[in-house]
Amino acid sequence: MYGVARMSVIALGADHAGFTLKEDLKAWLIEHGHQVIDFGTHSPESVDYPDYAGQVAESVAAAKAERGVLVCGTGIGMAMTANKLPGIRAAACGDTFTARMSREHNDANILALGARLTARETAVEILKTWLETEFAGGRHARRVEKIAELERARRPREGRE
Ligand code: RB5
């Protein structure tokens, strides 16, 4: 097992465009010892991506899953939706470099993938890199904390003394 052994519960979600890739990634995750919470979709029938992004983001924000993986056509709609929830840092990644940076610098807790842009093997490499890479902390922690400050500033009655 590689460096993500302690990150064992992964929430998964996809729309119709991401359904097949989500199934492939689910099989890969299980094969590599992870637990998955699959919020669907469970068929290629047309659905609305925010319904799935919202469920996965809720699950990660509530610490029911350590991290989340979302798949739509581009990854964009999934990331946009997930990032509406406080505490969520979703990154749409199309290669292993952005995947690694999203963890090392941004402490991303949700990975969004685009099934119409990313081949299965590339998606697996992106996922593996993303799961293995630790947050670097240091100056990056200060910057990530500033994201949280912006969230708190918009929610004055919540998350403040
Ligand atoms: C669905 O056609 C498509 O819009 C969706 O999968 C996603 O790419 C949105 O960001």
Side-chain angles (χ1 to χ4, degrees):
M1 177 59 77
Y2 44 90
V4 76
R6 64 187 176 75
M7 294 292 204
S8 61
V9 182
I10 312 289
L12 289 178
D15 70 356
H16 52 286
F19 164 67
T20 301
L21 181 56
K22 186 261 290 175
E23 293 297 303
D24 287 346
L25 297 179
K26 179 180 173 179
W28 186 90
L29 284 164
I30 291 168
E31 191 183 320
H32 288 80
H34 300 283
Q35 289 179 53
V36 303
I37 308 172
D38 186 354
F39 288 96
T41 186
H42 301 291
S43 84
E45 190 181 329
S46 183
V47 292
D48 299 332
Y49 62 81
D51 296 338
Y52 302 90
Q55 291 184 80
V56 167
E58 290 278 9
S59 172
V60 173
K64 291 176 182 163
E66 281 89 349
R67 297 204 211 159
V69 177
L70 289 164
V71 193
C72 63
T74 58
I76 294 169
M78 289 296 199
M80 283 182 171
T81 309
N83 280 321
K84 294 294 180 190
L85 275 80
I88 295 302
R89 292 176 300 281
C93 298
D95 52 56
T96 54
F97 180 75
T98 49
R100 186 158 57 80
M101 288 298 102
S102 80
R103 288 288 311 133
E104 215 170 281
H105 288 198
N106 314 113
D107 199 17
N109 50 15
I110 292 186
L111 171 67
L113 292 166
R116 290 175 177 156
L117 309 168
T118 311
R120 182 197 176 278
E121 290 313 313
T122 305
V124 168
E125 283 306 308
I126 291 170
L127 176 59
K128 186 171 181 292
T129 300
W130 189 77
L131 290 171
E132 286 175 345
T133 307
E134 297 291 342
F135 179 45
R139 68 188 185 280
H140 304 295
R142 181 181 72 239
R143 293 161 186 166
V144 168
E145 176 53 27
K146 287 185 177 186
I147 300 174
E149 278 171 23
L150 283 170
E151 288 174 345
R152 287 194 290 270
R154 298 283 174 187
R155 299 164 70 239
R157 268 184 269 277
E158 294 175 55
R160 284 187 163 185
E161 297 286 313

